[in-house]
Amino acid sequence: MNWKEILFLSCLATFVLLVVLEKSHSAAVGTRKAAGEEDKESVKKKIFIQESDASNFFKKRGKRATKSRDELNAETGQMLIADEQRREYFEEQRNKFENFVKEEHKEQQERSREQIEQWRQYHYDGLYPSYMYNRHHI
């Protein structure tokens, strides 16, 4: 038996097995379908409210009426979360800018130090310290 025949027989056996399982599964689902529909109806009744209640759901309080404690707590929580996110964002931006300024300052100091060192080497006159007031002019 060569490998092509083995592959063909295994594929054929798999196909037959899948067909048989699908037929048996569809028969089992068919008996449960009515129960599934009943479950869906009961879930819909639990989730959705009556049409009359739904039309008045958002009209529970007028614009000028005081808010309930739950609404106030929810709005306060959202405002606090937004404030915290804003504070973190601006703190991060400030830290980035401060790091940038520090790096620029360090680079500027390094360039300045190098230039001063080059100037001192060029103007060195053998005296220590080599400043202009140490030079004695005749």
Side-chain angles (χ1 to χ4, degrees), residues 49-59:
I49 58 177
Q50 295 294 325
E51 190 174 339
S52 60
D53 295 337
S55 64
N56 295 328
F57 182 74
F58 291 108
K59 298 179 183 177

Side-chain angles (χ1 to χ4, degrees), residues 70-120:
D70 294 333
E71 284 180 295
L72 290 173
N73 287 341
E75 287 183 7
T76 305
Q78 288 177 346
M79 287 172 27
L80 290 175
I81 290 171
D83 289 344
E84 182 66 25
Q85 290 174 346
R86 192 178 306 113
R87 189 179 307 115
E88 289 174 359
Y89 172 76
F90 284 121
E91 183 178 350
E92 182 181 339
Q93 295 298 316
R94 185 176 60 245
N95 288 340
K96 284 182 182 178
F97 181 72
E98 287 176 356
N99 291 339
F100 172 75
V101 169
K102 283 181 184 178
E103 289 296 321
E104 287 293 318
H105 188 65
K106 285 180 182 178
E107 290 176 8
Q108 181 63 35
Q109 283 182 335
E110 182 67 22
R111 288 193 295 270
S112 175
R113 189 190 63 75
E114 289 175 358
Q115 288 176 350
I116 291 170
E117 187 66 28
Q118 289 173 357
W119 185 89
R120 285 183 178 166

Side-chain angles (χ1 to χ4, degrees), residues 12-48:
L12 183 65
T14 306
F15 178 73
V16 169
L17 183 65
L18 288 174
V19 169
V20 169
L21 286 176
E22 184 177 334
K23 287 184 180 180
S24 66
H25 181 67
S26 64
V29 171
T31 59
R32 296 180 189 160
K33 194 168 188 179
E37 288 177 357
E38 291 174 6
D39 291 340
K40 288 180 183 178
E41 290 298 323
S42 64
V43 169
K44 285 182 182 178
K45 287 180 182 176
K46 289 179 183 176
I47 293 175
F48 298 108

